[in-house]
PDB file of all heavy atoms in Angstrom:
ATOM      1  N   GLN D  16      -3.047  -6.923   8.834  1.00 74.00           N
ATOM      2  CA  GLN D  16      -2.447  -7.332   7.568  1.00 74.00           C
ATOM      3  C   GLN D  16      -3.281  -6.838   6.411  1.00 74.00           C
ATOM      4  O   GLN D  16      -2.747  -6.341   5.415  1.00 74.00           O
ATOM      5  CB  GLN D  16      -2.348  -8.857   7.500  1.00 74.00           C
ATOM      6  CG  GLN D  16      -1.255  -9.433   8.371  1.00 74.00           C
ATOM      7  CD  GLN D  16      -1.224 -10.951   8.269  1.00 74.00           C
ATOM      8  OE1 GLN D  16      -2.025 -11.579   7.649  1.00 74.00           O
ATOM      9  NE2 GLN D  16      -0.227 -11.514   8.934  1.00 74.00           N
ATOM     10  N   GLN D  17      -4.597  -6.977   6.503  1.00 76.00           N
ATOM     11  CA  GLN D  17      -5.463  -6.498   5.447  1.00 76.00           C
ATOM     12  C   GLN D  17      -5.423  -4.975   5.370  1.00 76.00           C
ATOM     13  O   GLN D  17      -5.460  -4.421   4.284  1.00 76.00           O
ATOM     14  CB  GLN D  17      -6.916  -6.975   5.671  1.00 76.00           C
ATOM     15  CG  GLN D  17      -7.802  -6.726   4.517  1.00 76.00           C
ATOM     16  CD  GLN D  17      -7.428  -7.512   3.281  1.00 76.00           C
ATOM     17  OE1 GLN D  17      -6.662  -8.415   3.298  1.00 76.00           O
ATOM     18  NE2 GLN D  17      -8.021  -7.128   2.169  1.00 76.00           N
ATOM     19  N   GLY D  18      -5.303  -4.311   6.503  1.00 80.00           N
ATOM     20  CA  GLY D  18      -5.177  -2.863   6.502  1.00 80.00           C
ATOM     21  C   GLY D  18      -3.917  -2.412   5.792  1.00 80.00           C
ATOM     22  O   GLY D  18      -3.908  -1.438   5.054  1.00 80.00           O
ATOM     23  N   HIS D  19      -2.836  -3.169   5.990  1.00 82.00           N
ATOM     24  CA  HIS D  19      -1.584  -2.869   5.265  1.00 82.00           C
ATOM     25  C   HIS D  19      -1.756  -3.058   3.768  1.00 82.00           C
ATOM     26  O   HIS D  19      -1.255  -2.278   2.978  1.00 82.00           O
ATOM     27  CB  HIS D  19      -0.445  -3.756   5.780  1.00 82.00           C
ATOM     28  CG  HIS D  19       0.079  -3.309   7.091  1.00 82.00           C
ATOM     29  ND1 HIS D  19      -0.283  -3.953   8.271  1.00 82.00           N
ATOM     30  CD2 HIS D  19       0.895  -2.309   7.465  1.00 82.00           C
ATOM     31  CE1 HIS D  19       0.306  -3.366   9.266  1.00 82.00           C
ATOM     32  NE2 HIS D  19       1.022  -2.361   8.815  1.00 82.00           N
ATOM     33  N   ARG D  20      -2.476  -4.111   3.386  1.00 84.00           N
ATOM     34  CA  ARG D  20      -2.685  -4.352   1.944  1.00 84.00           C
ATOM     35  C   ARG D  20      -3.532  -3.229   1.334  1.00 84.00           C
ATOM     36  O   ARG D  20      -3.249  -2.770   0.228  1.00 84.00           O
ATOM     37  CB  ARG D  20      -3.363  -5.702   1.757  1.00 84.00           C
ATOM     38  CG  ARG D  20      -2.446  -6.869   2.028  1.00 84.00           C
ATOM     39  CD  ARG D  20      -3.156  -8.199   1.739  1.00 84.00           C
ATOM     40  NE  ARG D  20      -2.369  -9.286   2.259  1.00 84.00           N
ATOM     41  CZ  ARG D  20      -2.681 -10.005   3.348  1.00 84.00           C
ATOM     42  NH1 ARG D  20      -3.808  -9.771   3.997  1.00 84.00           N
ATOM     43  NH2 ARG D  20      -1.911 -10.967   3.759  1.00 84.00           N
ATOM     44  N   ILE D  21      -4.584  -2.812   2.033  1.00 85.00           N
ATOM     45  CA  ILE D  21      -5.414  -1.730   1.526  1.00 85.00           C
ATOM     46  C   ILE D  21      -4.624  -0.449   1.421  1.00 85.00           C
ATOM     47  O   ILE D  21      -4.699   0.268   0.425  1.00 85.00           O
ATOM     48  CB  ILE D  21      -6.653  -1.551   2.462  1.00 85.00           C
ATOM     49  CG1 ILE D  21      -7.584  -2.742   2.315  1.00 85.00           C
ATOM     50  CG2 ILE D  21      -7.365  -0.247   2.156  1.00 85.00           C
ATOM     51  CD1 ILE D  21      -8.714  -2.748   3.304  1.00 85.00           C
ATOM     52  N   THR D  22      -3.807  -0.136   2.421  1.00 85.00           N
ATOM     53  CA  THR D  22      -2.986   1.072   2.390  1.00 85.00           C
ATOM     54  C   THR D  22      -1.994   1.011   1.261  1.00 85.00           C
ATOM     55  O   THR D  22      -1.800   1.977   0.521  1.00 85.00           O
ATOM     56  CB  THR D  22      -2.250   1.252   3.741  1.00 85.00           C
ATOM     57  OG1 THR D  22      -3.236   1.283   4.789  1.00 85.00           O
ATOM     58  CG2 THR D  22      -1.442   2.546   3.731  1.00 85.00           C
ATOM     59  N   PHE D  23      -1.334  -0.136   1.079  1.00 86.00           N
ATOM     60  CA  PHE D  23      -0.365  -0.283   0.000  1.00 86.00           C
ATOM     61  C   PHE D  23      -1.032  -0.078  -1.355  1.00 86.00           C
ATOM     62  O   PHE D  23      -0.521   0.617  -2.217  1.00 86.00           O
ATOM     63  CB  PHE D  23       0.295  -1.675   0.052  1.00 86.00           C
ATOM     64  CG  PHE D  23       1.309  -1.879  -1.019  1.00 86.00           C
ATOM     65  CD1 PHE D  23       2.564  -1.323  -0.926  1.00 86.00           C
ATOM     66  CD2 PHE D  23       1.021  -2.689  -2.097  1.00 86.00           C
ATOM     67  CE1 PHE D  23       3.495  -1.503  -1.921  1.00 86.00           C
ATOM     68  CE2 PHE D  23       1.934  -2.877  -3.117  1.00 86.00           C
ATOM     69  CZ  PHE D  23       3.185  -2.285  -3.020  1.00 86.00           C
ATOM     70  N   LEU D  24      -2.206  -0.682  -1.555  1.00 85.00           N
ATOM     71  CA  LEU D  24      -2.925  -0.526  -2.802  1.00 85.00           C
ATOM     72  C   LEU D  24      -3.373   0.922  -3.003  1.00 85.00           C
ATOM     73  O   LEU D  24      -3.296   1.456  -4.105  1.00 85.00           O
ATOM     74  CB  LEU D  24      -4.122  -1.468  -2.851  1.00 85.00           C
ATOM     75  CG  LEU D  24      -4.905  -1.497  -4.160  1.00 85.00           C
ATOM     76  CD1 LEU D  24      -4.006  -1.908  -5.321  1.00 85.00           C
ATOM     77  CD2 LEU D  24      -6.068  -2.472  -4.059  1.00 85.00           C
ATOM     78  N   GLY D  25      -3.837   1.539  -1.944  1.00 86.00           N
ATOM     79  CA  GLY D  25      -4.256   2.933  -2.019  1.00 86.00           C
ATOM     80  C   GLY D  25      -3.127   3.881  -2.357  1.00 86.00           C
ATOM     81  O   GLY D  25      -3.283   4.862  -3.061  1.00 86.00           O
ATOM     82  N   LEU D  26      -1.912   3.555  -1.862  1.00 85.00           N
ATOM     83  CA  LEU D  26      -0.736   4.362  -2.192  1.00 85.00           C
ATOM     84  C   LEU D  26      -0.241   4.066  -3.601  1.00 85.00           C
ATOM     85  O   LEU D  26       0.310   4.945  -4.246  1.00 85.00           O
ATOM     86  CB  LEU D  26       0.374   4.104  -1.168  1.00 85.00           C
ATOM     87  CG  LEU D  26       0.114   4.572   0.250  1.00 85.00           C
ATOM     88  CD1 LEU D  26       1.186   4.063   1.176  1.00 85.00           C
ATOM     89  CD2 LEU D  26       0.074   6.105   0.259  1.00 85.00           C
ATOM     90  N   SER D  27      -0.420   2.856  -4.064  1.00 86.00           N
ATOM     91  CA  SER D  27       0.080   2.460  -5.374  1.00 86.00           C
ATOM     92  C   SER D  27      -0.816   2.963  -6.507  1.00 86.00           C
ATOM     93  O   SER D  27      -0.330   3.434  -7.514  1.00 86.00           O
ATOM     94  CB  SER D  27       0.190   0.928  -5.480  1.00 86.00           C
ATOM     95  OG  SER D  27       1.079   0.469  -4.498  1.00 86.00           O
ATOM     96  N   ALA D  28      -2.121   2.812  -6.348  1.00 86.00           N
ATOM     97  CA  ALA D  28      -3.084   3.242  -7.347  1.00 86.00           C
ATOM     98  C   ALA D  28      -3.869   4.429  -6.748  1.00 86.00           C
ATOM     99  O   ALA D  28      -4.571   4.276  -5.758  1.00 86.00           O
ATOM    100  CB  ALA D  28      -4.012   2.113  -7.724  1.00 86.00           C
ATOM    101  N   ALA D  29      -3.723   5.555  -7.369  1.00 81.00           N
ATOM    102  CA  ALA D  29      -4.266   6.779  -6.774  1.00 81.00           C
ATOM    103  C   ALA D  29      -5.787   6.717  -6.517  1.00 81.00           C
ATOM    104  O   ALA D  29      -6.263   7.183  -5.479  1.00 81.00           O
ATOM    105  CB  ALA D  29      -3.953   7.974  -7.662  1.00 81.00           C
ATOM    106  N   ASP D  30      -6.545   6.196  -7.445  1.00 87.00           N
ATOM    107  CA  ASP D  30      -7.999   6.149  -7.290  1.00 87.00           C
ATOM    108  C   ASP D  30      -8.510   4.746  -7.098  1.00 87.00           C
ATOM    109  O   ASP D  30      -9.537   4.359  -7.670  1.00 87.00           O
ATOM    110  CB  ASP D  30      -8.662   6.792  -8.524  1.00 87.00           C
ATOM    111  CG  ASP D  30      -8.329   8.257  -8.629  1.00 87.00           C
ATOM    112  OD1 ASP D  30      -8.186   8.915  -7.572  1.00 87.00           O
ATOM    113  OD2 ASP D  30      -8.203   8.773  -9.754  1.00 87.00           O
ATOM    114  N   ALA D  31      -7.837   3.957  -6.241  1.00 89.00           N
ATOM    115  CA  ALA D  31      -8.250   2.581  -6.027  1.00 89.00           C
ATOM    116  C   ALA D  31      -9.542   2.504  -5.232  1.00 89.00           C
ATOM    117  O   ALA D  31     -10.349   1.612  -5.447  1.00 89.00           O
ATOM    118  CB  ALA D  31      -7.149   1.805  -5.303  1.00 89.00           C
ATOM    119  N   PHE D  32      -9.744   3.455  -4.334  1.00 90.00           N
ATOM    120  CA  PHE D  32     -10.952   3.466  -3.485  1.00 90.00           C
ATOM    121  C   PHE D  32     -11.608   4.835  -3.583  1.00 90.00           C
ATOM    122  O   PHE D  32     -10.960   5.861  -3.544  1.00 90.00           O
ATOM    123  CB  PHE D  32     -10.574   3.188  -2.016  1.00 90.00           C
ATOM    124  CG  PHE D  32      -9.989   1.841  -1.806  1.00 90.00           C
ATOM    125  CD1 PHE D  32      -8.626   1.645  -1.783  1.00 90.00           C
ATOM    126  CD2 PHE D  32     -10.810   0.723  -1.593  1.00 90.00           C
ATOM    127  CE1 PHE D  32      -8.085   0.397  -1.608  1.00 90.00           C
ATOM    128  CE2 PHE D  32     -10.280  -0.524  -1.409  1.00 90.00           C
ATOM    129  CZ  PHE D  32      -8.902  -0.691  -1.402  1.00 90.00           C
ATOM    130  N   LYS D  33     -12.933   4.822  -3.722  1.00 90.00           N
ATOM    131  CA  LYS D  33     -13.668   6.061  -3.741  1.00 90.00           C
ATOM    132  C   LYS D  33     -14.195   6.314  -2.321  1.00 90.00           C
ATOM    133  O   LYS D  33     -14.768   5.414  -1.702  1.00 90.00           O
ATOM    134  CB  LYS D  33     -14.868   5.909  -4.724  1.00 90.00           C
ATOM    135  CG  LYS D  33     -15.698   7.133  -4.865  1.00 90.00           C
ATOM    136  CD  LYS D  33     -16.798   6.900  -5.870  1.00 90.00           C
ATOM    137  CE  LYS D  33     -17.677   8.117  -6.010  1.00 90.00           C
ATOM    138  NZ  LYS D  33     -18.768   7.857  -6.926  1.00 90.00           N
ATOM    139  N   GLY D  34     -13.979   7.512  -1.822  1.00 88.00           N
ATOM    140  CA  GLY D  34     -14.459   7.835  -0.477  1.00 88.00           C
ATOM    141  C   GLY D  34     -13.369   7.847   0.571  1.00 88.00           C
ATOM    142  O   GLY D  34     -13.627   8.136   1.735  1.00 88.00           O
ATOM    143  N   ILE D  35     -12.154   7.539   0.191  1.00 88.00           N
ATOM    144  CA  ILE D  35     -11.024   7.591   1.125  1.00 88.00           C
ATOM    145  C   ILE D  35      -9.827   8.149   0.402  1.00 88.00           C
ATOM    146  O   ILE D  35      -9.538   7.792  -0.720  1.00 88.00           O
ATOM    147  CB  ILE D  35     -10.705   6.194   1.718  1.00 88.00           C
ATOM    148  CG1 ILE D  35      -9.612   6.247   2.772  1.00 88.00           C
ATOM    149  CG2 ILE D  35     -10.337   5.211   0.651  1.00 88.00           C
ATOM    150  CD1 ILE D  35      -9.407   4.951   3.534  1.00 88.00           C
ATOM    151  N   GLU D  36      -9.193   9.111   1.003  1.00 87.00           N
ATOM    152  CA  GLU D  36      -8.002   9.745   0.417  1.00 87.00           C
ATOM    153  C   GLU D  36      -6.800   9.343   1.256  1.00 87.00           C
ATOM    154  O   GLU D  36      -6.781   9.502   2.468  1.00 87.00           O
ATOM    155  CB  GLU D  36      -8.189  11.258   0.425  1.00 87.00           C
ATOM    156  CG  GLU D  36      -7.105  11.986  -0.349  1.00 87.00           C
ATOM    157  CD  GLU D  36      -7.358  13.496  -0.409  1.00 87.00           C
ATOM    158  OE1 GLU D  36      -8.461  13.905  -0.027  1.00 87.00           O
ATOM    159  OE2 GLU D  36      -6.454  14.200  -0.789  1.00 87.00           O
ATOM    160  N   PHE D  37      -5.792   8.824   0.592  1.00 86.00           N
ATOM    161  CA  PHE D  37      -4.597   8.366   1.264  1.00 86.00           C
ATOM    162  C   PHE D  37      -3.589   9.501   1.406  1.00 86.00           C
ATOM    163  O   PHE D  37      -2.682   9.645   0.616  1.00 86.00           O
ATOM    164  CB  PHE D  37      -3.991   7.169   0.501  1.00 86.00           C
ATOM    165  CG  PHE D  37      -4.831   5.944   0.603  1.00 86.00           C
ATOM    166  CD1 PHE D  37      -5.877   5.731  -0.271  1.00 86.00           C
ATOM    167  CD2 PHE D  37      -4.612   5.015   1.614  1.00 86.00           C
ATOM    168  CE1 PHE D  37      -6.690   4.616  -0.195  1.00 86.00           C
ATOM    169  CE2 PHE D  37      -5.432   3.908   1.713  1.00 86.00           C
ATOM    170  CZ  PHE D  37      -6.467   3.692   0.822  1.00 86.00           C
ATOM    171  N   VAL D  38      -3.818  10.334   2.420  1.00 84.00           N
ATOM    172  CA  VAL D  38      -2.945  11.461   2.718  1.00 84.00           C
ATOM    173  C   VAL D  38      -2.419  11.319   4.144  1.00 84.00           C
ATOM    174  O   VAL D  38      -2.931  10.514   4.922  1.00 84.00           O
ATOM    175  CB  VAL D  38      -3.702  12.809   2.574  1.00 84.00           C
ATOM    176  CG1 VAL D  38      -4.102  13.064   1.136  1.00 84.00           C
ATOM    177  CG2 VAL D  38      -4.905  12.858   3.456  1.00 84.00           C
ATOM    178  N   ASP D  39      -1.413  12.109   4.445  1.00 79.00           N
ATOM    179  CA  ASP D  39      -0.808  12.057   5.762  1.00 79.00           C
ATOM    180  C   ASP D  39      -1.743  12.670   6.774  1.00 79.00           C
ATOM    181  O   ASP D  39      -1.782  13.887   6.979  1.00 79.00           O
ATOM    182  CB  ASP D  39       0.526  12.808   5.743  1.00 79.00           C
ATOM    183  CG  ASP D  39       1.333  12.621   7.019  1.00 79.00           C
ATOM    184  OD1 ASP D  39       0.938  11.756   7.826  1.00 79.00           O
ATOM    185  OD2 ASP D  39       2.349  13.307   7.189  1.00 79.00           O
ATOM    186  N   ASP D  40      -2.547  11.825   7.388  1.00 81.00           N
ATOM    187  CA  ASP D  40      -3.592  12.267   8.298  1.00 81.00           C
ATOM    188  C   ASP D  40      -3.762  11.235   9.406  1.00 81.00           C
ATOM    189  O   ASP D  40      -3.617  10.035   9.156  1.00 81.00           O
ATOM    190  CB  ASP D  40      -4.907  12.434   7.492  1.00 81.00           C
ATOM    191  CG  ASP D  40      -5.986  13.081   8.298  1.00 81.00           C
ATOM    192  OD1 ASP D  40      -5.777  13.436   9.478  1.00 81.00           O
ATOM    193  OD2 ASP D  40      -7.088  13.243   7.745  1.00 81.00           O
ATOM    194  N   ARG D  41      -4.035  11.670  10.603  1.00 83.00           N
ATOM    195  CA  ARG D  41      -4.225  10.739  11.741  1.00 83.00           C
ATOM    196  C   ARG D  41      -5.418   9.833  11.519  1.00 83.00           C
ATOM    197  O   ARG D  41      -5.450   8.719  12.040  1.00 83.00           O
ATOM    198  CB  ARG D  41      -4.381  11.483  13.033  1.00 83.00           C
ATOM    199  CG  ARG D  41      -3.117  12.113  13.532  1.00 83.00           C
ATOM    200  CD  ARG D  41      -3.395  12.844  14.827  1.00 83.00           C
ATOM    201  NE  ARG D  41      -2.169  13.281  15.393  1.00 83.00           N
ATOM    202  CZ  ARG D  41      -1.739  12.911  16.585  1.00 83.00           C
ATOM    203  NH1 ARG D  41      -2.461  12.132  17.323  1.00 83.00           N
ATOM    204  NH2 ARG D  41      -0.602  13.363  17.016  1.00 83.00           N
ATOM    205  N   SER D  42      -6.397  10.254  10.790  1.00 86.00           N
ATOM    206  CA  SER D  42      -7.612   9.469  10.627  1.00 86.00           C
ATOM    207  C   SER D  42      -7.493   8.407   9.550  1.00 86.00           C
ATOM    208  O   SER D  42      -8.430   7.606   9.363  1.00 86.00           O
ATOM    209  CB  SER D  42      -8.774  10.388  10.316  1.00 86.00           C
ATOM    210  OG  SER D  42      -8.609  10.982   9.055  1.00 86.00           O
ATOM    211  N   LEU D  43      -6.377   8.324   8.832  1.00 87.00           N
ATOM    212  CA  LEU D  43      -6.240   7.347   7.747  1.00 87.00           C
ATOM    213  C   LEU D  43      -6.333   5.909   8.290  1.00 87.00           C
ATOM    214  O   LEU D  43      -7.018   5.085   7.719  1.00 87.00           O
ATOM    215  CB  LEU D  43      -4.911   7.519   7.002  1.00 87.00           C
ATOM    216  CG  LEU D  43      -4.674   6.507   5.877  1.00 87.00           C
ATOM    217  CD1 LEU D  43      -5.733   6.630   4.810  1.00 87.00           C
ATOM    218  CD2 LEU D  43      -3.292   6.681   5.286  1.00 87.00           C
ATOM    219  N   ALA D  44      -5.673   5.650   9.409  1.00 85.00           N
ATOM    220  CA  ALA D  44      -5.699   4.282   9.967  1.00 85.00           C
ATOM    221  C   ALA D  44      -7.136   3.892  10.348  1.00 85.00           C
ATOM    222  O   ALA D  44      -7.552   2.771  10.048  1.00 85.00           O
ATOM    223  CB  ALA D  44      -4.796   4.198  11.185  1.00 85.00           C
ATOM    224  N   SER D  45      -7.871   4.785  10.955  1.00 86.00           N
ATOM    225  CA  SER D  45      -9.247   4.421  11.304  1.00 86.00           C
ATOM    226  C   SER D  45     -10.120   4.223  10.058  1.00 86.00           C
ATOM    227  O   SER D  45     -10.992   3.345  10.051  1.00 86.00           O
ATOM    228  CB  SER D  45      -9.856   5.470  12.234  1.00 86.00           C
ATOM    229  OG  SER D  45     -10.020   6.689  11.559  1.00 86.00           O
ATOM    230  N   LYS D  46      -9.880   5.006   9.009  1.00 88.00           N
ATOM    231  CA  LYS D  46     -10.632   4.846   7.769  1.00 88.00           C
ATOM    232  C   LYS D  46     -10.312   3.496   7.129  1.00 88.00           C
ATOM    233  O   LYS D  46     -11.198   2.797   6.624  1.00 88.00           O
ATOM    234  CB  LYS D  46     -10.321   5.961   6.814  1.00 88.00           C
ATOM    235  CG  LYS D  46     -10.884   7.291   7.221  1.00 88.00           C
ATOM    236  CD  LYS D  46     -10.456   8.379   6.253  1.00 88.00           C
ATOM    237  CE  LYS D  46     -10.890   9.752   6.759  1.00 88.00           C
ATOM    238  NZ  LYS D  46     -10.405  10.799   5.879  1.00 88.00           N
ATOM    239  N   VAL D  47      -9.051   3.119   7.137  1.00 87.00           N
ATOM    240  CA  VAL D  47      -8.611   1.872   6.530  1.00 87.00           C
ATOM    241  C   VAL D  47      -9.187   0.682   7.293  1.00 87.00           C
ATOM    242  O   VAL D  47      -9.702  -0.276   6.709  1.00 87.00           O
ATOM    243  CB  VAL D  47      -7.075   1.771   6.408  1.00 87.00           C
ATOM    244  CG1 VAL D  47      -6.622   0.384   6.072  1.00 87.00           C
ATOM    245  CG2 VAL D  47      -6.569   2.753   5.386  1.00 87.00           C
TER     246      VAL D  47
END
């Protein structure tokens, strides 16, 4: 659930997190 919230926020605000890029990549889930 928290991973979904982080992903949603990362997709909504482009620079919400420094050090993680929300792109179509297999490693996004592990980073989140």
